[in-house]
Amino acid sequence: MRRLLNLFLLSLVFLVSINGRAFAEDCDQKYKCNEGDDKYESCLENLEGCWQSEVNRVQSEANTLQSAINIINGQIRIQSLKVQQTVAEINSLEKEITELSERIEGLGISLNRLSEILIKRIRQSYKQSRLPYKNNIFASQSFNDFVSQYRYMNLAQDQTLDLMKKTELQRLTYNQQKELKETKQQEIEKKRQELQSQKNINYFYKGSTNDL
């Protein structure tokens, strides 16, 4: 009788372990997510959805010890996937912030250079506007000289105007990039808080398995 009871218990343990492994391997076999792939984050999202479906399915089944174990293991896996997704998002945000910092630095240098050139152009234009040939054709040595000077003045004014537009566009782009960086920094701070919360939930589920 004792031998039959031992055989029954061994068979039960074997079936539990087999069912647990099958539950764990179905989704992981279907979705194999490799960090570094272009679709890594979407793969993790699909894998999490698969695990959530498995947990929901088991929850609707008979209330047995194996079901409880599978549900908790499933929740642990889901939380682990959430952690992986959040880590991937944080890494992506950190990369964006680094790129934005480099872009902002380059824009700042370019903006300073354009501003210096613009100031020189404005000074030159002001000096040119004070010359007599600007208002008096007879102050020029010849008519051709007056025409050349007049064309030069118009060209200089057009170039100054174009430089002013470029400087303003550069300034707007610089400000936009700074605002975008601040937004990304706020996002990454939220993601770090979310990550810590997900880890705490995962620790809770892992602790629950020890109580079964």
Side-chain angles (χ1 to χ4, degrees):
M1 182 65 180
R2 181 175 295 178
R3 183 178 297 176
L4 290 174
L5 180 59
N6 290 337
L7 182 60
F8 172 76
L9 290 174
L10 287 173
S11 299
L12 181 61
V13 171
F14 177 75
L15 288 173
V16 166
S17 63
I18 291 296
N19 290 335
R21 284 199 300 270
F23 180 84
E25 291 174 358
D26 286 345
C27 292
D28 291 334
Q29 288 296 327
K30 186 176 181 180
Y31 298 101
K32 296 183 179 180
C33 306
N34 296 316
E35 189 174 358
D37 291 348
D38 294 337
K39 298 182 179 180
Y40 176 63
E41 291 183 36
S42 62
C43 179
L44 288 176
E45 185 176 349
N46 292 332
L47 182 55
E48 181 191 340
C50 179
W51 271 94
Q52 187 62 61
S53 297
E54 288 294 320
V55 169
N56 294 340
R57 178 181 63 80
V58 174
Q59 285 176 334
S60 65
E61 294 176 353
N63 187 17
T64 63
L65 176 60
Q66 180 58 39
S67 297
I69 292 173
N70 284 344
I71 290 170
I72 293 175
N73 285 336
Q75 293 292 359
I76 290 172
R77 183 62 173 139
I78 288 170
Q79 288 303 316
S80 296
L81 290 169
K82 287 182 182 294
V83 168
Q84 286 181 261
Q85 289 182 61
T86 305
V87 169
E89 290 171 359
I90 289 173
N91 291 338
S92 179
L93 284 169
E94 286 178 343
K95 183 179 179 182
E96 288 183 46
I97 289 172
T98 300
E99 291 174 353
L100 282 169
S101 299
E102 294 173 354
R103 197 176 305 152
I104 289 169
E105 184 180 357
L107 285 168
I109 294 172
S110 179
L111 181 59
N112 291 336
R113 190 175 301 162
L114 284 172
S115 299
E116 290 174 1
I117 296 173
L118 179 60
I119 291 171
K120 290 180 181 179
R121 284 287 178 85
I122 292 173
R123 286 174 179 171
Q124 289 175 354
S125 296
Y126 176 77
K127 290 179 181 179
Q128 292 292 337
S129 67
R130 306 293 294 175
L131 295 176
Y133 65 78
K134 174 69 177 178
N135 300 314
N136 189 356
I137 188 173
F138 299 105
S140 302
Q141 295 180 357
S142 65
F143 179 75
N144 289 337
D145 182 49
F146 171 78
V147 171
S148 296
Q149 292 173 347
Y150 180 77
R151 288 176 177 174
Y152 171 78
M153 283 294 300
N154 284 340
L155 179 61
Q157 288 177 353
D158 290 341
Q159 289 176 343
T160 301
L161 182 61
D162 182 59
L163 187 59
M164 289 175 67
K165 291 178 180 178
K166 287 181 179 179
T167 304
E168 179 62 16
L169 179 61
Q170 195 82 335
R171 186 187 66 79
L172 290 173
T173 304
Y174 177 81
N175 290 338
Q176 288 172 354
Q177 295 297 302
K178 285 190 69 177
E179 290 175 2
L180 181 58
K181 181 183 177 181
E182 291 174 1
T183 301
K184 295 293 182 182
Q185 287 174 329
Q186 293 172 358
E187 286 181 21
I188 201 171
E189 185 59 32
K190 289 180 180 179
K191 286 295 178 183
R192 284 171 177 159
Q193 294 175 1
E194 183 181 337
L195 178 62
Q196 187 57 51
S197 176
Q198 290 167 347
K199 287 181 177 180
N200 291 340
I201 294 173
N202 212 12
Y203 294 148
F204 169 78
Y205 281 123
K206 287 180 179 179
S208 298
T209 59
N210 297 328
D211 297 333
L212 295 177

